[in-house]
């Protein structure tokens, strides 16, 4: 994907959707490449509770500990589209995403209207 984006507004905290439109996390941080005077490019997205410890101080460290501390790195080449969400080219399982949803899915499916 080749497009100019405003990083703070168009990527951070956006919902990740896999190739099957399954919600599979949020964009928690970015890997950027480029030096002084060079074009700055996003080379990867990071998602997972392990990222929170660097973003939210003491509360973030506690949340990362509760959440297991994992971090998933998603190469920028796997991003298909950036809009109200970030659409990925592969399924969540292929990228290591969505495990938290999988643990809760049996309980969530019992809630009326949860499949909307």
């Amino acid at each position: 994907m080749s497009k100019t984006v405003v990083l703070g507004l168009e990527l951070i905290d956006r919902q990740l959707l896999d190739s099957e439109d399954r919600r599979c996390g949020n964009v928690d941080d970015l890997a950027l490449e480029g030096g002084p005077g060079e074009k700055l490019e996003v080379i990867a997205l990071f998602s997972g509770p392990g990222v929170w410890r660097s973003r939210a101080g003491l509360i973030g460290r506690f949340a990362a500990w509760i959440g297991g501390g994992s971090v998933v790195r998603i190469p920028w080449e796997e991003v298909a589209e950036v809009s109200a969400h970030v659409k990925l080219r592969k399924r969540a399982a292929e990228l290591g995403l969505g495990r938290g949803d999988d643990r809760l899915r049996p309980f969530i499916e019992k809630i009326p209207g949860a499949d909307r």
Side-chain angles (χ1 to χ4, degrees):
M1 179 177 174
S2 178
K3 166 185 163 178
T4 301
V5 290
V6 180
L7 299 179
L9 298 175
E10 294 189 37
L11 284 175
I12 298 293
D13 293 331
R14 291 291 170 121
Q15 180 74 56
L16 292 168
L17 295 180
D18 73 0
S19 61
E20 298 173 337
D21 289 329
R22 177 180 176 204
R23 291 187 305 262
C24 53
N26 290 321
V27 177
D28 293 312
D29 204 355
L30 307 170
L32 305 172
E33 191 173 79
E38 296 178 356
K39 182 179 175 184
L40 191 62
E41 293 187 50
V42 178
I43 59 168
L45 309 176
F46 293 104
S47 181
V51 179
W52 305 340
R53 66 175 54 99
S54 63
R55 286 190 62 199
L58 183 60
I59 292 171
R61 287 192 300 275
F62 180 69
W65 178 73
I66 293 291
S70 65
V71 176
V72 177
R73 183 182 191 276
I74 306 156
W76 184 250
E77 294 79 32
E78 299 302 334
V79 175
E81 175 187 347
V82 176
S83 58
H85 55 268
V86 177
K87 176 82 172 176
L88 303 171
R89 296 183 193 280
K90 292 184 178 175
R91 291 178 32 248
E94 293 176 71
L95 296 168
L97 294 166
R99 290 186 300 268
D101 291 348
D102 292 342
R103 288 188 303 237
L104 297 176
R105 191 167 311 284
F107 302 104
I108 293 172
E109 288 174 347
K110 294 178 184 178
I111 300 170
D115 59 343
R116 291 185 212 169

